[in-house]
């Protein structure tokens, strides 16, 4: 028989998985902090001087390496890329905020995967798989796609594969923090990426920093209106999570309404007028770019070597 | 003179709608002419503008018939980028238009799209920046600019291609008085240099610069007349809900040929005509006392000590960056996660003192209506939205209270509708009703008239007037001096973090120009006149 306490714990764990990362983002990072790691700011250390094309290649290679090698390579690369944040403007602060963000991504990905990993997947991942059950979910959780039980192996597997997303996230943020949207547009255009995709990327880069600001405003308005005010302050994170969920639709609609104007504004300024675009600022390749390119080549060679050494396959883990 | 724009028998219905949003038989604009386009929200102005710049029929789907010709070329036969070389369009909200990081990158966006050589672009960018008077903004980051500055950057970006037709679609709706003055100053200089179509609710501000007035109603042109003849149409304009400056009404009533403020003022003065001032009333009962200090690491320092009385409408005004928003955030306890700010804001009502920044505690006594009011509409129906505050707070309001609020904001018809599907004016009313339904008696409103037409502003004014009579304390941050003159009992002027004026609108407007706040025509007409 599933007790009331078990039900409470199950729901608490479920909400914790989604709520904790959001809570970290909103409370510890705040929308100003989130803006700091998603927006370019002018500075002059080597990462700002490296050609954006090389940085895009670097991010792509990071993605390639973490998806084709064993999990701890992804973990090492996450730490390595994060440590580069120290060289940015307000480096210590960006490293701190970036680390919190990566941590919340890790927790979010872990809880996003773990309850859904099937026995069949785990038997492929872990040879001679014998499940170590650590929690049994209420039967109705199956409606959400949850497996009947949560195993230690599911947690372990989810933790490991989460490093794929953290390394990619860290390098993508590095690109965004050290290049203006137009520099990235210019570079991607040279890679012959179709214009509509370029424009979407550019608008996304512009609006990403506002998403949290609007959502934050929506949450605070709900709190002002009294959400959770009748309950203990210890339940505040749960109400915070509820407010975030409730605020998503108005936030997205608010952003979409703005997106329509952004599109009209670009189209009425000749966007997609010609196949070629000219650029006022040129981005020549300099010596620094060759150094960075050498790192990229080393990463590719390392990827091949790791695969040859037998650490390439993502599964099975043993 | 050639025809810049020729419109023949156009009709347009949005995809999925059977109703025609636009139906115009014939319309034309000569090259170099300046035309004011006005009308209520939803009257078809923006749809019409989108037919001129080719967004309709090329980007927005729907049923489009008829022809729009730009210098003899049919827009149906052209692509939008091709049209955009001739027709430049500046939209309402600068934050939604500007997409680049630096000012120069933004201004260079259009010529880069047209693959113009870099050396030429640099010259075009410099010319556009100079023409709008924003040389001092070169090299600045667009994210750090004020709304007014950003709108001028967007304008420079539109002007880079030197379009022969320039459309300004409510260019001052979302910016402060200083930014508004700068946009109108640009317009004044631009007249005659190119064909101008200005969509604007602030008729009074645009009339000096234009040749012709076109008024839309329900997708049709109902007035198309020379500026000089507009006095004959005053009654119809009023009936259509268009914001008409009082000097025009008076000029028409007094049979004057000119409606400029000096002429009308002189006539009033000479004939000792008494003009009534809006009634002001400061309540007796103290409802809120607040004092505090907010310091940013940028050096900005806000200091205030204010008292608000119940049954009073207070407008807090000032230029962008003067500290209005910071003051509001301090009052509602939203400064806690702004890492750059150190704040100590105390609020006190006759019943209690709140020192910490607990949002829920402050929300019990203060209701907040944000500028982006859509963000508070989280429920699926208007009914649920109104009951939400009551439900989450406990039984602070009875069903009859909700019924009364529903009637007050005339929302009876929409109770089962999704609030996000309503028009802008209706959404604003739902948000306001939901704020009131929570039970607070002090209501803070952030730019409540932003983007609203005269009709909706008047509704808002009437609503807050009723709330005032019911004993509510209304505190609003506003850039709308006309609205403040008509409805506020008290004005507080902030400048560089300090309260520099505090009194009735008449007292404040006497010296407000030094803080960049231009008094409305209604005040200028009454200045120095004994009533």
């Amino acid at each position: 028989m599933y007790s009331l306490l078990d039900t409470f714990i199950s729901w608490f764990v479920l909400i914790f998985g989604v709520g904790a990362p959001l809570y970290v983002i909103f409370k510890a990072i705040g929308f100003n902090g989130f803006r700091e790691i998603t927006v370019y700011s002018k500075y002059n250390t080597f990462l700002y001087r490296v050609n954006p094309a090389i940085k895009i290649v670097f991010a792509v290679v990071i993605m390639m390496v973490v998806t084709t090698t064993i999990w701890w390579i992804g973990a090492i690369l996450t730490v390595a890329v994060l440590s580069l944040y120290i060289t940015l403007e307000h480096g210590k602060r960006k490293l701190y905020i970036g680390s919190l963000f990566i941590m919340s991504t890790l927790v979010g990905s872990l809880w996003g995967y773990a309850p859904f990993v099937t026995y069949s997947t785990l038997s492929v991942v872990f040879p001679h798989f014998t499940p170590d059950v650590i929690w049994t979910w209420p039967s109705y959780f199956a409606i959400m796609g949850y497996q009947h039980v949560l195993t230690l192996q599911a947690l372990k597997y989810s933790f490991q594969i989460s490093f794929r997303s953290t390394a990619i996230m860290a390098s993508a943020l590095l690109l965004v923090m050290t290049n203006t949207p137009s520099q990235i547009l210019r570079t991607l255009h040279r890679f012959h990426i179709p214009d509509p995709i370029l424009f979407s990327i550019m608008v996304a880069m512009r609006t990403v920093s506002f998403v949290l600001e609007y959502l934050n405003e929506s949450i605070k308005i709900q709190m002002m209106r009294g959400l959770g005010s009748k309950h203990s302050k210890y339940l505040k994170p749960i109400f915070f999570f509820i407010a975030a969920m409730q605020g998503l639709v108005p936030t997205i609609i608010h952003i979409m309404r703005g997106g329509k104007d952004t599109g009209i504004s670009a189209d009425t300024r000749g966007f997609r007028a010609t196949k070629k675009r000219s650029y006022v600022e040129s981005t020549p390749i300099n010596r620094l770019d060759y150094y960075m390119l050498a790192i990229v080549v080393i990463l590719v060679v390392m990827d091949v070597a790791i695969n040859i050494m037998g650490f390439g396959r993502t599964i099975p883990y043993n | 003179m050639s025809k810049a724009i020729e419109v023949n028998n156009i009709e347009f219905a949005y995809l999925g709608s059977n109703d025609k949003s636009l139906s115009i038989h014939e319309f034309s604009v000569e090259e170099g002419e300046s035309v004011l386009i006005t009308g209520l929200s939803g009257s078809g102005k923006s749809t019409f503008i989108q037919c001129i710049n080719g967004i309709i029929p090329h980007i927005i789907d729907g049923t489009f018939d008829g022809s729009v010709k730009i210098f003899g070329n049919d827009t149906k036969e052209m692509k939008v980028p091709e049209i955009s070389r001739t027709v430049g369009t500046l939209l309402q909200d600068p934050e939604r238009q500007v997409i680049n990081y630096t000012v120069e990158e933004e201004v260079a966006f259009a010529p880069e799209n047209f693959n113009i050589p870099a050396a030429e672009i640099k010259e075009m960018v410099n010319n556009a920046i100079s023409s709008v008077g924003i040389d001092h903004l070169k090299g600045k980051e667009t994210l750090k600019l004020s709304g007014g500055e950003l709108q001028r950057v967007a304008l420079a970006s539109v002007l880079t291609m030197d379009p022969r037709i320039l459309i300004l679609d409510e260019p001052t709706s979302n910016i402060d008085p200083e930014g508004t003055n700068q946009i109108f100053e640009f317009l004044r200089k631009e007249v005659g240099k190119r064909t101008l179509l200005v969509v604007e609710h602030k008729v009074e501000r645009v009339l000096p610069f234009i040749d012709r007035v076109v008024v839309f109603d329900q997708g049709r042109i109902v007035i198309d007349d020379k500026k000089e003849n507009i006095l004959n149409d005053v009654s119809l304009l009023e009936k259509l809900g268009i914001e008409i400056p009082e000097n025009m009404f008076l000029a028409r009533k007094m049979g004057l040929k000119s409606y400029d403020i000096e002429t009308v003022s002189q006539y009033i003065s000479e004939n000792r005509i008494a003009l009534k001032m809006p009634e002001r009333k400061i309540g007796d009962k103290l409802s809120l006392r607040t004092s505090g200090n907010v310091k940013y690491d940028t050096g900005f320092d806000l200091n205030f000590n204010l008292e608000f009385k119940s049954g009073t409408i207070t407008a807090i005004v000032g230029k962008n960056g003067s500290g209005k928003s910071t003051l509001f955030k301090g009052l509602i306890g939203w400064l806690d996660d702004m890492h750059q700010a150190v704040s100590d804001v105390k609020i006190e009502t006759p019943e209690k003192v709140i020192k910490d920044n607990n949002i829920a505690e402050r929300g019990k006594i203060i209701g907040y209506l944000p500028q982006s009011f859509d963000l508070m509409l989280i429920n699926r129906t208007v009914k649920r939205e109104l009951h939400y505050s009551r439900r989450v707070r406990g039984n602070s309001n009875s069903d009859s209270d909700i019924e009364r609020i529903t009637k007050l904001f005339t929302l009876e018809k929409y109770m089962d509708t999704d609030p996000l599907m309503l028009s802008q004016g209706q959404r604003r009313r739902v948000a306001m009703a939901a704020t009131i339904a929570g039970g607070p008696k002090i209501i803070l409103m952030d730019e409540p008239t932003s983007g609203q037409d005269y009709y909706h502003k008047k509704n808002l004014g009437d609503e807050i007037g009723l709330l005032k009579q019911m004993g509510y304390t209304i505190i609003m941050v506003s850039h709308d001096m006309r609205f403040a003159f008509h409805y506020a009992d008290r004005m507080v002027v902030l400048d560089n973090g300090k309260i520099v004026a505090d009194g009735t609108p008449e007292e404040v407007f006497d010296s407000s120009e030094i803080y960049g706040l231009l008094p409305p025509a209604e005040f200028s007409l009454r200045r120095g006149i004994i009533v």
Side-chain angles (χ1 to χ4, degrees):
Chain A
M1 183 69 186
Y2 212 77
S3 72
L4 196 64
L5 179 67
D6 288 345
T7 304
F8 176 78
I9 293 172
S10 294
W11 276 101
F12 180 78
V13 170
L14 184 148
I15 291 170
F16 173 82
V18 193
L22 280 175
Y23 198 73
V24 169
I25 291 171
F26 281 98
K27 284 290 163 189
I29 300 176
F31 73 82
N32 281 319
F34 187 72
R35 183 173 273 189
E36 272 184 67
I37 57 164
T38 53
V39 167
Y40 169 82
S41 59
K42 213 178 269 180
Y43 206 50
N44 199 28
T45 52
F46 76 99
L47 277 169
Y48 293 85
R49 295 199 299 268
V50 171
N51 192 298
I54 308 288
K55 275 183 275 186
I56 290 172
V57 173
F58 174 73
V60 171
V61 167
I62 291 275
M63 183 168 71
M64 189 183 85
V65 174
V66 296
T67 50
T68 56
T69 57
I70 197 160
W71 71 272
W72 47 263
I73 299 286
I76 292 170
L77 282 177
T78 302
V79 175
V81 175
L82 264 180
S83 64
L84 289 173
Y85 285 24
I86 200 84
T87 66
L88 306 179
E89 188 202 23
H90 305 306
K92 279 184 191 167
R93 186 170 157 68
K94 279 182 180 155
L95 176 62
Y96 170 69
I97 297 169
S99 303
L100 282 177
F101 187 67
I102 294 298
M103 283 286 286
S104 61
T105 308
L106 196 67
V107 174
S109 304
L110 192 152
W111 283 108
Y113 277 118
F116 302 99
V117 185
T118 59
Y119 267 39
S120 55
T121 305
L122 292 174
S123 355
V124 178
V125 174
F126 300 101
H128 320 296
F129 168 61
T130 315
D132 296 320
V133 176
I134 51 174
W135 190 251
T136 305
W137 303 112
S139 55
Y140 57 85
F141 269 38
I143 298 166
M144 296 184 281
Y146 271 44
Q147 296 299 301
H148 182 53
V149 293
L150 179 69
T151 63
L152 190 63
Q153 287 86 351
L155 280 178
K156 195 175 162 189
Y157 170 67
S158 303
F159 176 72
Q160 290 171 352
I161 62 167
S162 296
F163 283 107
R164 287 182 189 163
S165 45
T166 55
I168 296 166
M169 189 78 79
S171 53
L173 288 176
L174 195 68
L175 179 70
V176 170
M177 282 189 282
T178 55
N179 287 102
T180 68
S182 35
Q183 282 171 342
I184 293 173
L185 176 79
R186 192 180 311 157
T187 309
L188 291 174
H189 192 264
R190 288 197 176 126
F191 289 160
H192 300 288
I193 307 286
D195 283 347
I197 296 175
L198 289 185
F199 187 67
S200 307
I201 293 171
M202 203 166 166
V203 173
M205 283 181 72
R206 172 81 189 179
T207 49
V208 70
S209 60
F210 293 114
V211 174
L212 206 68
E213 187 178 334
Y214 293 145
L215 189 56
N216 187 45
E217 194 169 336
S218 183
I219 291 169
K220 282 181 171 167
I221 293 167
Q222 291 174 64
M223 296 297 180
M224 273 204 90
R225 290 175 75 184
L227 180 66
S229 59
K230 286 189 297 178
H231 303 272
S232 157
K233 65 178 180 182
Y234 299 107
L235 294 175
K236 200 176 164 190
I238 292 174
F239 286 103
F240 188 87
F241 169 70
I242 292 168
M245 292 296 113
Q246 291 185 146
L248 274 177
V249 172
T251 300
I252 290 167
I253 289 178
H254 190 67
I255 287 168
M256 298 285 266
R257 284 194 170 125
K260 182 186 152 204
D261 283 353
T262 310
I264 290 175
S265 169
D267 279 320
T268 54
R269 286 186 290 159
F271 192 66
R272 295 181 289 176
T274 56
K275 283 188 178 167
K276 278 189 173 179
R277 277 186 107 237
S278 55
Y279 296 98
V280 179
E281 299 289 328
S282 60
T283 43
I285 301 281
N286 56 40
R287 189 188 288 180
L288 214 54
D289 298 317
Y290 290 111
Y291 294 148
M292 193 71 180
L293 208 55
I295 295 171
V296 169
V297 173
I298 290 168
L299 278 171
V300 175
V301 172
M302 191 183 82
D303 187 19
V304 175
I306 286 168
N307 272 277
I308 292 169
M309 288 160 71
F311 293 111
R313 290 167 298 167
T314 49
I315 52 174
Y317 293 140
N318 48 27
Chain B
M1 224 187 272
S2 63
K3 293 246 189 272
I5 301 166
E6 288 171 89
V7 173
N8 281 298
N9 300 314
I10 60 166
E11 288 190 337
F12 180 74
Y14 284 96
L15 189 68
S17 168
N18 295 323
D19 301 328
K20 291 187 182 80
S21 296
L22 198 66
S23 183
I24 294 169
H25 179 54
E26 204 177 350
F27 174 81
S28 64
V29 181
E30 299 288 336
E31 186 174 10
E33 205 176 0
S34 306
V35 181
L36 164 66
I37 295 175
T38 193
L40 288 182
S41 298
S43 60
K45 307 182 300 290
S46 293
T47 309
F48 178 66
I49 289 304
Q50 285 168 346
C51 290
I52 307 287
N53 62 21
I55 294 296
I56 293 174
H58 295 291
I59 293 177
I60 292 179
D61 290 325
T63 316
F64 179 78
D65 291 315
S67 80
V68 176
K69 286 182 180 170
I70 303 297
F71 291 105
N73 300 309
D74 196 322
T75 55
K76 268 196 285 196
E77 315 298 324
M78 302 161 82
K79 290 182 175 168
V80 175
E82 199 183 340
I83 299 169
S84 72
R85 288 202 83 141
T86 314
V87 184
T89 310
L90 181 72
L91 304 176
Q92 192 180 109
D93 188 346
E95 279 190 6
R96 293 176 172 187
Q97 295 170 83
V98 173
I99 44 182
N100 289 281
Y101 180 74
T102 66
V103 169
E104 283 94 328
E105 280 178 347
E106 184 63 28
V107 180
F109 183 73
E112 283 183 342
N113 287 332
F114 286 107
N115 199 23
I116 291 167
E120 275 181 54
I121 296 179
K122 279 184 183 165
E123 202 185 325
M124 293 164 88
V125 167
N126 285 333
N127 290 341
I129 284 179
S130 295
S131 71
V132 185
I134 51 167
D135 295 81
H136 61 289
L137 298 181
K138 277 184 182 174
K140 292 213 169 165
E141 300 162 32
T142 53
L143 276 171
K144 292 183 179 167
L145 301 180
S146 70
E149 288 171 335
L150 207 57
Q151 187 65 306
R152 285 194 293 156
V153 171
L155 178 59
S157 180
V158 171
L159 291 174
T160 331
M161 295 307 296
D162 198 15
R164 291 168 75 187
I165 299 170
L166 179 61
I167 296 171
L168 297 108
D169 191 358
E170 298 185 36
T172 65
S173 284
N174 287 358
I175 59 176
D176 69 328
E178 196 183 29
T180 301
N181 295 344
Q182 284 156 347
I183 293 285
F184 286 132
E185 179 58 23
F186 164 80
L187 266 181
R188 193 182 61 76
K189 288 182 191 161
E190 205 62 11
V191 167
K193 289 184 189 166
R194 63 184 99 227
T195 308
L196 287 175
L197 297 188
V198 187
V199 181
E200 193 44 92
H201 293 305
K202 294 168 190 154
V203 174
E204 140 190 26
R205 300 295 303 272
V206 185
L207 274 177
F209 316 126
I210 49 98
D211 306 312
R212 219 169 111 190
V213 179
V214 173
V215 182
F216 276 76
D217 186 46
Q218 294 178 21
R220 293 168 192 275
I221 292 175
V222 288
I223 295 176
D224 184 352
D225 213 341
K226 284 189 174 172
K227 174 173 74 171
E228 293 74 28
N229 301 334
I230 202 68
L231 274 183
N232 303 328
D233 302 313
V234 163
S235 307
L236 180 57
L237 286 168
E238 191 193 14
K239 206 170 148 192
L240 291 169
I242 310 296
E243 188 167 17
I244 303 296
E246 196 180 12
N247 45 313
M248 277 180 76
F249 274 117
L250 293 170
R252 169 90 174 136
K253 205 170 164 184
M254 296 160 184
L256 300 175
K257 281 182 183 166
S258 167
Y259 53 82
D260 69 78
I261 290 178
E262 288 74 24
T263 311
V264 180
S265 291
Q266 198 183 347
Y267 185 89
I268 290 170
S269 182
E270 283 169 7
N271 294 280
R272 301 193 64 77
I273 296 168
L275 290 180
K276 214 176 152 193
M277 278 284 183
E279 204 175 299
R280 322 271 181 213
K281 189 189 160 207
I282 306 283
D284 305 323
K285 205 176 138 200
L286 178 76
S287 60
L288 180 74
R289 181 179 289 131
T290 178
S291 59
N293 169 251
V294 183
K295 275 186 183 157
Y296 286 87
D297 58 6
T298 55
F300 179 80
D301 194 353
L302 170 72
N303 286 291
F304 59 91
N305 190 341
L306 289 163
E307 279 187 0
F308 298 96
K309 302 278 176 67
S310 58
T312 308
I313 301 172
T314 305
I316 296 175
V317 299
K319 288 191 282 193
N320 273 335
S322 58
K324 306 183 299 292
S325 299
T326 307
L327 170 64
F328 257 32
K329 282 182 177 153
L331 291 180
I332 56 180
W334 283 21
L335 287 170
D336 55 342
D337 62 356
M338 294 177 73
H339 300 302
Q340 298 94 333
V342 180
S343 62
D344 173 23
V345 178
K346 189 173 80 172
I347 62 171
E348 188 183 341
T349 65
E351 292 80 33
K352 66 201 285 192
V353 178
I354 301 179
K355 281 183 182 170
D356 66 14
N357 283 333
N358 187 318
I359 294 175
E361 276 299 303
R362 293 192 177 213
K364 274 185 195 166
I365 53 170
I366 297 177
Y368 175 59
L369 185 75
Q371 190 176 350
S372 313
F373 45 75
D374 283 347
L375 294 175
M376 70 180 283
L377 304 176
I378 53 165
N379 289 287
R380 283 188 183 177
T381 64
V382 172
K383 189 177 179 182
R384 289 173 70 133
E385 197 64 65
L386 299 191
H387 282 270
Y388 174 84
S389 306
R390 178 193 171 202
R391 186 164 50 83
V392 294
R393 276 258 177 243
N395 294 320
S396 56
N397 272 310
S398 64
D399 278 340
S400 62
D401 283 330
I402 299 289
E403 217 168 279
R404 181 177 52 82
I405 292 164
T406 307
K407 274 186 190 156
L408 178 67
F409 291 94
T410 54
L411 292 169
E412 298 96 325
K413 274 199 297 186
Y414 311 109
M415 293 306 271
D416 295 320
T417 312
D418 185 333
L420 287 168
M421 301 301 285
L422 297 171
S423 72
Q424 193 197 24
Q426 290 160 346
R427 294 201 304 278
R428 198 267 308 148
R429 292 207 322 263
V430 175
M432 209 166 149
T435 307
I436 303 288
K441 295 288 176 195
I442 300 163
I443 309 295
L444 265 57
M445 304 165 85
D446 192 3
E447 293 294 348
T449 60
S450 177
Q452 309 253 347
D453 60 26
Y454 173 66
Y455 173 79
H456 289 104
K457 280 190 216 174
K458 197 172 176 306
N459 283 347
L460 172 70
D462 294 344
E463 285 156 13
I464 60 171
L466 283 174
L467 291 174
K468 170 183 145 177
Q469 283 173 20
M470 291 157 71
Y472 282 86
T473 305
I474 309 286
I475 309 167
M476 60 181 177
V477 159
S478 186
H479 286 150
D480 193 330
M481 296 303 125
R482 197 165 191 224
F483 188 80
F485 178 78
H486 279 289
Y487 299 103
D489 299 301
R490 175 188 174 199
M491 278 175 83
V492 175
V493 184
L494 275 171
D495 189 58
N496 203 20
K498 292 189 173 48
I499 294 166
V500 289
D502 187 347
T504 62
E506 293 78 32
E507 288 163 354
V508 168
F509 282 133
D510 250 340
S511 60
S512 66
E513 276 178 75
I514 54 173
Y515 307 113
L517 308 170
L518 210 61
E522 283 81 350
F523 171 76
S524 305
L525 284 172
R526 289 162 172 81
R527 195 199 289 256
I529 297 167
I530 301 159
V531 181

